[in-house]
Amino acid sequence: MSEYLLRMEDISKIYPNGVVANKNINFRLKKGEIHALLGENGAGKSTLMKILFGMEKPSSGKIFLNNEELEMNSSKDAIAKGIGMVHQHFTLIDSFTVAQNVTLGIEPKKGFFVNEEEAIKFTKELSDKYKLYIDPKAITGTLPVGLKQKIEILKALARGAKILILDEPTAVLTPQETEQLFAELINLKNQGHTIIFISHKIREVKEISDRITILRNGCQVGEFLTNEVTEQEISNKIVGWKIDSKVEKKELKEGEVRIRVKNLSYTSKDKSPILKDLSFIVRAGTIFGIAGVQGNGQTELVEILTKTRNIQNGTIEINGVDIRNLNIKTLRDLGYSYIPEDRMLKGVASNASVSENLISDEYDSPKLCKKSILRKGEISKLAKSLVKQYSIKCSGIEAKVGSLSGGNIQKIVVARECKNIPKVLIAEQPTRGVDIGAANIIHRELVKLRDEGCAILLVSADLSELMKLCDRLAVMYEGEIVAYFDDLSQVTESELGLCMLGAKKHAPEQIGRMLYE
Amino acid sequence: MSKFLDIILSTQFFYSIFRVTTPILFASMGAVVANTAGVPNIGIEGIMLIAAFTGVFVSAATQSAAIGLLGAALSGILLAGLLAFFTLYYRTNPILGGIAINSLASGGTIFLLYLFTGDKGSATSVASKVVSEINILIIRDIPVIGEIISGHNILTYLSLLSVVFVYVLIKKTPLGHHLRAVGESKNAAESVGINVNRVKLIALLISGLLAGLGGAFMSMGYVSTFSRDMVSGRGWIAIAAEAMGKTNPIATAVTSLLFGASDAISNAAAAVGWASDLVRTIPYIATIIGLLIFSARELKKARL
């Protein structure tokens, strides 16, 4: 007999294309613990969990649950064995009610029909039992992410999950929502459930987990008791070398106004106000941060700023030029760059090569293109120097971007957007889902641009990133700027969190200070 | 003109709206079911045509309207199954698969018609059966309403029932929930162990059954024989109705009725002797205008 509830022994996974995602990993789970699985992007966490959840078959190795070997062909088998997974990207039907989502596939029946009352009752009882309070009749699509996550957890519990896999559950939550989630997880643990917690955020792992397994490059670095390792030790083990995550900033030297947003309002097609009379300026040589829970208008603001959404009311001036009637090309010619949030959708062409992606913003510049013919030699020279400068790990400049890891793809986007020292840079969640090493390189690049006089608008949900980089910080809540800080040394994360949730607002005079001339 | 108005304002005219709407209504309900599960069934037009053909020849061979109807329905299911087989299991593009079904139906029915009758135009020489018309007790005796609502073909009543059937199926049954789940988010459906391909297959089969009934009405009710390309775009009109009804069964039924009404108007105009080539275009022009209004509205919403 073993003391472990679940053992994954000697698991290896080699994909047909030769990529080794997991190599001889031993992952062991004790009943009733919260076990953190840590590692950089591409370290093999997701693959390992997909194997545990029956979505992938291991190339070799065995899985034992209660000392009994598991044979799984699909996630259906995993669910039947009491394993549940909450994916990072929610798998919910937006038009369904909470109860309909929770009972999808296991609907209580009455004759030929779905027994909606029973489904609601069932969901209510489940949510009461696990203290995951939610209105079973609410329409899923209208709920904030924190509640959607609860539905996902309830969905797994409704199917009898005893082992819950949570894939980066806090990535989309505010500090307060995270705290609530942690309380709920502790409660689940106390009721005998076992939780696997996948995360990037070392501090959270330190707070919530009992034990930690760290992966690096598909191999297991080790298994640790959480209270026996320090944050610094964990971080070094994840990366494999000592990292210095501090970013040195030069003294603030503010220049002229580069971005001026005046009375910007935006109303969605269902007539609800998304942006309410926003005004702010960003000066040369500063990083202006916008904090906020996702879905409070930041996406729309960035889309309007980057001309993928029309300006309804208000004006936006870049370098003193009204951009209302400019197209993206002319805008870029003003020295305007954009690091988009969704790198696969807007950042790169994943079937194109590294070099093609690196020059896609200036393929028609005289340097790279002569009489409508691309100059191969110049392009590869430039691409090679950028690959080196930004330490992009790829098999060569002709490699397809889609085959690289998330962090390296993001470095390509950053390299392209920053290589010509833009006058204005819009950076939208520039380090979301990238590993610590790549995030560090990106942070340094942003600060370097600032020191050279670029005006940067940084939209992020990562508070520590904002605190580390920004000179000025505004908080958006329900389409409004509800707080403004011009001195970040005086701000705590919990205060920011309260503003992000709308529980605290600054006086108009304080917010008005961001329009300083 | 006054003669035209006389026709338009008569009870026969309103009676005829239900009659001409029947095939469109069946087919549009088929389109609703398929699209709810996220599989566009472009082959509806062809399925209707083959079902119309099958109905005539099976009823002639068995001398039974009921068996003929059954044969038509089965041929619809079978053809939809063929489409499902290629698109779901062999990953054919569903649009291409649908186009293939339509070409097959158009050429195939003429070929078989010639083979069986020696005629390439119609099957008037075949002694086929029609589905009978029924009077509804009590209602038939109410003036005006009785004349409009009673005395229709059984299939016309069935087509109205099919709206209720599709509505209840989608909103109230477990299968309907799965159809919607698969159509809205494949990943979400998969994550709870729903077999996505199976659900899509069922959706296509139901859509084939409904389109098949619509086709059967064309040759076993609307007229009593088969002629080449007799469905003449009704399947496409049904797809347009589904698009404008935004996959909602009730809204789609209302749109189908509007298209049926324009069809009836064109019949009335032809009856008074207006240039028949021109008035025959009314239902199609109505469809184009309808789609124009619909997409203009969508575009305006998207621009906001």
Side-chain angles (χ1 to χ4, degrees), chain A residues 89-113:
Chain A
H89 301 285
F90 297 146
T91 53
L92 297 169
I93 311 289
D94 279 345
S95 69
F96 277 20
T97 64
V98 171
Q100 283 172 336
N101 261 310
V102 170
T103 60
L104 181 62
I106 48 168
E107 299 88 356
K109 297 186 182 83
K110 194 160 77 185
F112 287 115
F113 304 114

mmCIF file of all heavy atoms in Angstrom, chain A residues 89-113:
data_model
loop_
_atom_site.group_PDB
_atom_site.id
_atom_site.type_symbol
_atom_site.label_atom_id
_atom_site.label_comp_id
_atom_site.label_asym_id
_atom_site.label_seq_id
_atom_site.Cartn_x
_atom_site.Cartn_y
_atom_site.Cartn_z
ATOM 1 N N HIS A 89 -9.169 28.278 -20.235
ATOM 2 C CA HIS A 89 -10.210 28.902 -21.040
ATOM 3 C C HIS A 89 -11.502 28.171 -20.717
ATOM 4 O O HIS A 89 -11.593 26.964 -20.898
ATOM 5 C CB HIS A 89 -9.882 28.794 -22.521
ATOM 6 C CG HIS A 89 -8.573 29.435 -22.857
ATOM 7 N ND1 HIS A 89 -8.432 30.794 -22.911
ATOM 8 C CD2 HIS A 89 -7.346 28.916 -23.076
ATOM 9 C CE1 HIS A 89 -7.167 31.080 -23.170
ATOM 10 N NE2 HIS A 89 -6.494 29.953 -23.273
ATOM 11 N N PHE A 90 -12.473 28.914 -20.239
ATOM 12 C CA PHE A 90 -13.687 28.277 -19.747
ATOM 13 C C PHE A 90 -14.398 27.521 -20.856
ATOM 14 O O PHE A 90 -14.407 27.927 -22.007
ATOM 15 C CB PHE A 90 -14.626 29.320 -19.143
ATOM 16 C CG PHE A 90 -14.038 29.994 -17.951
ATOM 17 C CD1 PHE A 90 -14.302 31.325 -17.688
ATOM 18 C CD2 PHE A 90 -13.205 29.299 -17.085
ATOM 19 C CE1 PHE A 90 -13.749 31.949 -16.589
ATOM 20 C CE2 PHE A 90 -12.651 29.910 -15.989
ATOM 21 C CZ PHE A 90 -12.916 31.251 -15.735
ATOM 22 N N THR A 91 -15.019 26.422 -20.463
ATOM 23 C CA THR A 91 -15.794 25.641 -21.420
ATOM 24 C C THR A 91 -17.256 25.698 -20.992
ATOM 25 O O THR A 91 -17.790 24.732 -20.475
ATOM 26 C CB THR A 91 -15.306 24.185 -21.453
ATOM 27 O OG1 THR A 91 -15.304 23.687 -20.112
ATOM 28 C CG2 THR A 91 -13.915 24.090 -22.001
ATOM 29 N N LEU A 92 -17.844 26.864 -21.198
ATOM 30 C CA LEU A 92 -19.232 27.071 -20.776
ATOM 31 C C LEU A 92 -20.068 27.532 -21.962
ATOM 32 O O LEU A 92 -19.550 28.121 -22.898
ATOM 33 C CB LEU A 92 -19.294 28.141 -19.685
ATOM 34 C CG LEU A 92 -18.583 27.808 -18.381
ATOM 35 C CD1 LEU A 92 -18.499 29.042 -17.498
ATOM 36 C CD2 LEU A 92 -19.293 26.686 -17.656
ATOM 37 N N ILE A 93 -21.373 27.253 -21.884
ATOM 38 C CA ILE A 93 -22.294 27.730 -22.908
ATOM 39 C C ILE A 93 -22.876 29.047 -22.402
ATOM 40 O O ILE A 93 -23.634 29.061 -21.435
ATOM 41 C CB ILE A 93 -23.430 26.720 -23.142
ATOM 42 C CG1 ILE A 93 -22.872 25.315 -23.333
ATOM 43 C CG2 ILE A 93 -24.299 27.143 -24.307
ATOM 44 C CD1 ILE A 93 -22.145 25.083 -24.605
ATOM 45 N N ASP A 94 -22.520 30.151 -23.061
ATOM 46 C CA ASP A 94 -22.906 31.466 -22.562
ATOM 47 C C ASP A 94 -24.411 31.690 -22.515
ATOM 48 O O ASP A 94 -24.900 32.417 -21.662
ATOM 49 C CB ASP A 94 -22.266 32.565 -23.425
ATOM 50 C CG ASP A 94 -20.820 32.802 -23.019
ATOM 51 O OD1 ASP A 94 -20.448 32.327 -21.926
ATOM 52 O OD2 ASP A 94 -20.079 33.440 -23.775
ATOM 53 N N SER A 95 -25.149 31.079 -23.436
ATOM 54 C CA SER A 95 -26.586 31.361 -23.467
ATOM 55 C C SER A 95 -27.361 30.504 -22.463
ATOM 56 O O SER A 95 -28.548 30.712 -22.272
ATOM 57 C CB SER A 95 -27.133 31.131 -24.884
ATOM 58 O OG SER A 95 -27.099 29.756 -25.188
ATOM 59 N N PHE A 96 -26.693 29.552 -21.829
ATOM 60 C CA PHE A 96 -27.358 28.694 -20.848
ATOM 61 C C PHE A 96 -27.386 29.354 -19.474
ATOM 62 O O PHE A 96 -26.556 30.208 -19.173
ATOM 63 C CB PHE A 96 -26.597 27.365 -20.721
ATOM 64 C CG PHE A 96 -26.943 26.341 -21.765
ATOM 65 C CD1 PHE A 96 -27.545 26.699 -22.957
ATOM 66 C CD2 PHE A 96 -26.664 24.996 -21.550
ATOM 67 C CE1 PHE A 96 -27.855 25.751 -23.922
ATOM 68 C CE2 PHE A 96 -26.974 24.047 -22.507
ATOM 69 C CZ PHE A 96 -27.567 24.421 -23.690
ATOM 70 N N THR A 97 -28.326 28.896 -18.644
ATOM 71 C CA THR A 97 -28.286 29.332 -17.253
ATOM 72 C C THR A 97 -27.183 28.559 -16.537
ATOM 73 O O THR A 97 -26.660 27.568 -17.051
ATOM 74 C CB THR A 97 -29.612 29.058 -16.517
ATOM 75 O OG1 THR A 97 -29.803 27.636 -16.478
ATOM 76 C CG2 THR A 97 -30.795 29.715 -17.203
ATOM 77 N N VAL A 98 -26.864 29.031 -15.335
ATOM 78 C CA VAL A 98 -25.846 28.355 -14.533
ATOM 79 C C VAL A 98 -26.227 26.895 -14.336
ATOM 80 O O VAL A 98 -25.418 25.985 -14.548
ATOM 81 C CB VAL A 98 -25.699 29.073 -13.174
ATOM 82 C CG1 VAL A 98 -24.806 28.271 -12.241
ATOM 83 C CG2 VAL A 98 -25.147 30.478 -13.383
ATOM 84 N N ALA A 99 -27.503 26.666 -13.978
ATOM 85 C CA ALA A 99 -27.952 25.295 -13.715
ATOM 86 C C ALA A 99 -27.845 24.434 -14.975
ATOM 87 O O ALA A 99 -27.445 23.270 -14.913
ATOM 88 C CB ALA A 99 -29.388 25.302 -13.205
ATOM 89 N N GLN A 100 -28.174 25.002 -16.125
ATOM 90 C CA GLN A 100 -28.086 24.238 -17.378
ATOM 91 C C GLN A 100 -26.642 23.861 -17.688
ATOM 92 O O GLN A 100 -26.364 22.768 -18.172
ATOM 93 C CB GLN A 100 -28.674 25.049 -18.537
ATOM 94 C CG GLN A 100 -30.198 25.056 -18.540
ATOM 95 C CD GLN A 100 -30.767 26.016 -19.563
ATOM 96 O OE1 GLN A 100 -30.117 26.973 -19.959
ATOM 97 N NE2 GLN A 100 -31.997 25.779 -19.980
ATOM 98 N N ASN A 101 -25.721 24.775 -17.397
ATOM 99 C CA ASN A 101 -24.315 24.459 -17.617
ATOM 100 C C ASN A 101 -23.819 23.387 -16.659
ATOM 101 O O ASN A 101 -23.096 22.480 -17.053
ATOM 102 C CB ASN A 101 -23.455 25.720 -17.460
ATOM 103 C CG ASN A 101 -23.111 26.339 -18.797
ATOM 104 O OD1 ASN A 101 -22.656 25.659 -19.707
ATOM 105 N ND2 ASN A 101 -23.353 27.623 -18.913
ATOM 106 N N VAL A 102 -24.212 23.520 -15.392
ATOM 107 C CA VAL A 102 -23.733 22.560 -14.392
ATOM 108 C C VAL A 102 -24.236 21.154 -14.728
ATOM 109 O O VAL A 102 -23.527 20.169 -14.567
ATOM 110 C CB VAL A 102 -24.171 22.992 -12.978
ATOM 111 C CG1 VAL A 102 -23.902 21.888 -11.962
ATOM 112 C CG2 VAL A 102 -23.436 24.258 -12.567
ATOM 113 N N THR A 103 -25.470 21.064 -15.239
ATOM 114 C CA THR A 103 -26.043 19.742 -15.475
ATOM 115 C C THR A 103 -25.957 19.296 -16.932
ATOM 116 O O THR A 103 -26.534 18.283 -17.300
ATOM 117 C CB THR A 103 -27.534 19.713 -15.063
ATOM 118 O OG1 THR A 103 -28.224 20.689 -15.838
ATOM 119 C CG2 THR A 103 -27.702 20.007 -13.594
ATOM 120 N N LEU A 104 -25.218 20.052 -17.765
ATOM 121 C CA LEU A 104 -25.106 19.671 -19.178
ATOM 122 C C LEU A 104 -24.526 18.263 -19.314
ATOM 123 O O LEU A 104 -23.480 17.947 -18.777
ATOM 124 C CB LEU A 104 -24.211 20.669 -19.921
ATOM 125 C CG LEU A 104 -24.008 20.413 -21.414
ATOM 126 C CD1 LEU A 104 -25.313 20.494 -22.172
ATOM 127 C CD2 LEU A 104 -23.001 21.384 -22.009
ATOM 128 N N GLY A 105 -25.248 17.426 -20.029
ATOM 129 C CA GLY A 105 -24.790 16.052 -20.214
ATOM 130 C C GLY A 105 -25.271 15.097 -19.141
ATOM 131 O O GLY A 105 -25.266 13.893 -19.325
ATOM 132 N N ILE A 106 -25.685 15.648 -17.980
ATOM 133 C CA ILE A 106 -26.239 14.804 -16.913
ATOM 134 C C ILE A 106 -27.573 15.401 -16.462
ATOM 135 O O ILE A 106 -27.889 15.452 -15.275
ATOM 136 C CB ILE A 106 -25.282 14.687 -15.699
ATOM 137 C CG1 ILE A 106 -24.778 16.077 -15.290
ATOM 138 C CG2 ILE A 106 -24.109 13.781 -16.002
ATOM 139 C CD1 ILE A 106 -24.063 16.095 -13.949
ATOM 140 N N GLU A 107 -28.346 15.901 -17.422
ATOM 141 C CA GLU A 107 -29.584 16.591 -17.111
ATOM 142 C C GLU A 107 -30.559 15.678 -16.369
ATOM 143 O O GLU A 107 -30.768 14.534 -16.778
ATOM 144 C CB GLU A 107 -30.284 17.080 -18.394
ATOM 145 C CG GLU A 107 -29.512 18.060 -19.227
ATOM 146 C CD GLU A 107 -28.593 17.409 -20.231
ATOM 147 O OE1 GLU A 107 -28.505 16.165 -20.232
ATOM 148 O OE2 GLU A 107 -27.961 18.132 -21.015
ATOM 149 N N PRO A 108 -31.152 16.177 -15.277
ATOM 150 C CA PRO A 108 -32.256 15.423 -14.676
ATOM 151 C C PRO A 108 -33.437 15.420 -15.647
ATOM 152 O O PRO A 108 -33.707 16.432 -16.294
ATOM 153 C CB PRO A 108 -32.576 16.211 -13.407
ATOM 154 C CG PRO A 108 -32.010 17.569 -13.620
ATOM 155 C CD PRO A 108 -30.878 17.430 -14.582
ATOM 156 N N LYS A 109 -34.127 14.272 -15.757
ATOM 157 C CA LYS A 109 -35.186 14.195 -16.762
ATOM 158 C C LYS A 109 -36.554 14.037 -16.130
ATOM 159 O O LYS A 109 -36.694 13.560 -15.003
ATOM 160 C CB LYS A 109 -34.914 13.016 -17.697
ATOM 161 C CG LYS A 109 -33.624 13.177 -18.467
ATOM 162 C CD LYS A 109 -33.459 12.056 -19.479
ATOM 163 C CE LYS A 109 -32.147 12.178 -20.215
ATOM 164 N NZ LYS A 109 -31.004 11.638 -19.522
ATOM 165 N N LYS A 110 -37.536 14.472 -16.908
ATOM 166 C CA LYS A 110 -38.932 14.219 -16.543
ATOM 167 C C LYS A 110 -39.588 13.775 -17.835
ATOM 168 O O LYS A 110 -39.849 14.588 -18.706
ATOM 169 C CB LYS A 110 -39.569 15.508 -16.001
ATOM 170 C CG LYS A 110 -40.888 15.284 -15.293
ATOM 171 C CD LYS A 110 -41.219 16.451 -14.365
ATOM 172 C CE LYS A 110 -41.731 17.649 -15.141
ATOM 173 N NZ LYS A 110 -41.960 18.842 -14.295
ATOM 174 N N GLY A 111 -39.776 12.479 -17.993
ATOM 175 C CA GLY A 111 -40.267 11.970 -19.275
ATOM 176 C C GLY A 111 -39.251 12.258 -20.356
ATOM 177 O O GLY A 111 -38.067 11.960 -20.210
ATOM 178 N N PHE A 112 -39.724 12.904 -21.431
ATOM 179 C CA PHE A 112 -38.822 13.236 -22.523
ATOM 180 C C PHE A 112 -38.073 14.529 -22.277
ATOM 181 O O PHE A 112 -37.200 14.899 -23.034
ATOM 182 C CB PHE A 112 -39.620 13.388 -23.828
ATOM 183 C CG PHE A 112 -40.094 12.088 -24.386
ATOM 184 C CD1 PHE A 112 -41.444 11.804 -24.475
ATOM 185 C CD2 PHE A 112 -39.168 11.144 -24.830
ATOM 186 C CE1 PHE A 112 -41.883 10.601 -24.998
ATOM 187 C CE2 PHE A 112 -39.596 9.948 -25.360
ATOM 188 C CZ PHE A 112 -40.959 9.670 -25.438
ATOM 189 N N PHE A 113 -38.471 15.227 -21.225
ATOM 190 C CA PHE A 113 -37.991 16.595 -21.092
ATOM 191 C C PHE A 113 -36.940 16.750 -20.009
ATOM 192 O O PHE A 113 -36.778 15.897 -19.142
ATOM 193 C CB PHE A 113 -39.165 17.528 -20.801
ATOM 194 C CG PHE A 113 -40.236 17.445 -21.850
ATOM 195 C CD1 PHE A 113 -41.487 16.937 -21.542
ATOM 196 C CD2 PHE A 113 -39.976 17.842 -23.145
ATOM 197 C CE1 PHE A 113 -42.460 16.829 -22.518
ATOM 198 C CE2 PHE A 113 -40.939 17.732 -24.128
ATOM 199 C CZ PHE A 113 -42.188 17.230 -23.822
#
